[in-house]
Amino acid sequence: MKVILAQTAGFCKGVRRAMAQVLEQSDQADGPIFTDGPLIHNPQTIEVLKQRGVKAISEQDSPGQGDIVFIRTHGVSPSRREEIRNMGGKVCDATCPDVARIQGLIRRHRNAGDMVVIVGDRNHAEVIGLAGYAGDSGHVLKLAEEVAALPEAPKVCVVAQSTLTHEVYRDVTTALKQRYDNVEVLDTICPSTYRRQEEIRELASVADAVVVVGGKNSANTRHLAHISQ
């Protein structure tokens, strides 16, 4: 049996940037460092950060004046960003640049009056943040079958969760184009994610088994396992 290990880990450019920022601050800070939720979906990395005094905001433990608070790689909604500012700590934005780009695209199209469709997992931290930028103009879909329930709109702008698979995005955008006359599909899947997905397809075609190494609560990990299946 031919077995190939495909490491996902999720350490794309945005994650490496966030880790570098947090580690640098942990070396310099006198007090605690907080993150708004897990910095990334990787339990081993989160444990390393805990050992360096980095912890997630909780009801029992939240930042005060002078503490450092990191917005995690998945980004946050505008309202959540304001809540974090009001906590009184120094806010450091570790949002992945690819996610920040999607946020900007959504804001621009919402301001132009477009209906914004976000394709992804509505319970994922990144999508929750993106939906906040879309406001009442936004709709989150995961399946092509959900397109039928959308309201009428003169123009539709479509973005994907940065870790989405191309197959899911293609299926939903195809259904949208069949229903609406004016649909603008934006390429928002992370380049690193796309490369991993293409690599896993190639590996799975020549291997008897593929072992995907990554956090089980990571969208990257789950998608790669699904593709290899």
Side-chain angles (χ1 to χ4, degrees):
M1 175 180 287
K2 185 176 182 181
V3 181
I4 298 175
L5 256 65
Q7 181 181 3
T8 79
F11 285 101
C12 63
K13 178 175 63 177
V15 172
R16 289 197 299 270
R17 170 179 168 271
M19 283 294 297
Q21 288 177 320
V22 173
L23 292 174
E24 180 181 4
Q25 287 291 341
S26 69
D27 287 337
Q28 300 174 358
D30 295 328
I33 295 176
F34 291 87
T35 60
D36 185 43
L39 185 69
I40 61 173
H41 285 154
N42 184 282
Q44 291 84 2
T45 302
I46 296 302
E47 186 57 37
V48 169
L49 293 176
K50 284 182 180 178
Q51 293 173 5
R52 296 178 69 113
V54 180
K55 48 191 174 181
I57 296 171
S58 66
E59 292 182 1
Q60 296 77 29
D61 202 355
S62 59
Q65 291 288 338
D67 291 336
I68 297 173
V69 186
F70 273 89
I71 294 175
R72 57 180 169 168
T73 53
H74 306 97
V76 295
S77 67
S79 60
R80 180 57 181 169
R81 185 181 292 269
E82 188 62 27
E83 289 175 3
I84 294 172
R85 285 199 190 101
N86 291 337
M87 291 177 183
K90 175 187 175 184
V91 180
C92 297
D93 192 350
T95 304
C96 171
D98 290 317
V99 175
R101 171 177 168 266
I102 305 173
Q103 293 171 348
L105 290 170
I106 290 174
R107 183 194 293 113
R108 189 179 76 197
H109 282 271
R110 175 194 177 184
N111 291 341
D114 301 345
M115 181 172 79
V116 178
V117 174
I118 303 166
V119 186
D121 180 358
R122 57 178 50 88
N123 296 316
H124 191 280
E126 178 189 328
V127 175
I128 292 171
L130 295 178
Y133 282 85
D136 295 337
S137 303
H139 302 269
V140 179
L141 306 183
K142 192 173 183 180
L143 302 171
E145 290 78 7
E146 298 176 275
V147 169
L150 292 174
E152 295 300 324
K155 183 180 178 183
V156 179
C157 165
V158 195
V159 299
Q161 178 181 341
S162 65
T163 54
L164 194 71
T165 64
H166 272 264
E167 288 84 357
V168 172
Y169 198 35
R170 180 197 60 216
D171 290 347
V172 175
T173 54
T174 298
L176 286 165
K177 289 177 180 178
Q178 290 172 346
R179 172 162 180 198
Y180 298 98
D181 294 329
N182 192 356
V183 178
E184 183 174 356
V185 179
L186 302 178
D187 182 9
T188 59
I189 295 178
C190 168
S192 297
T193 296
Y194 176 75
R195 285 194 298 271
R196 288 195 198 95
Q197 292 176 2
E198 290 303 300
E199 289 166 356
I200 206 77
R201 287 187 185 92
E202 183 178 347
L203 291 171
S205 69
V206 298
D208 296 303
V210 178
V211 178
V212 182
V213 181
K216 291 184 178 180
N217 61 338
S218 164
N220 274 318
T221 302
R222 294 196 303 274
H223 289 157
L224 291 178
H226 177 72
I227 290 171
S228 63
Q229 287 172 352

